[in-house]
Amino acid sequence: GDLTEAIRQYSHAIAAEPTDVGYLVLAQALQQAGRLDEANAIYKRMARLSPNLAEAQKAAERYLAGK
């Protein structure tokens, strides 16, 4: 419910342990908060760097569905 807090926590989590899923969850939270430029930058970065982007997207969707 609190996107600002979620973004803060997701940012902290990926700083401690960067993962594809973590970045995608952060990007989705940023997108929901209307911070589209930041979200798009993460999506573009992940598209270039992630060897398993499709798998990470499915995992991020499952994670968010559980929230």
Side-chain angles (χ1 to χ4, degrees), residues 12-59:
H12 180 73
I14 63 171
E17 185 176 342
T19 66
D20 293 352
V21 173
Y23 278 108
L24 290 171
V25 170
L26 174 60
Q28 289 175 357
L30 288 165
Q31 186 175 12
Q32 289 176 9
R35 295 167 59 178
L36 301 180
D37 289 341
E38 293 169 86
N40 287 335
I42 292 172
Y43 286 130
K44 286 178 185 177
R45 180 175 182 222
M46 294 311 301
R48 287 192 317 268
L49 299 177
S50 178
N52 297 312
L53 185 58
E55 240 179 82
Q57 287 173 317
K58 288 177 188 175

Side-chain angles (χ1 to χ4, degrees), residues 3-17:
L3 285 174
T4 301
E5 180 61 18
I7 290 167
R8 187 187 72 74
Q9 288 186 18
Y10 295 149
S11 296
H12 180 73
I14 63 171
E17 185 176 342

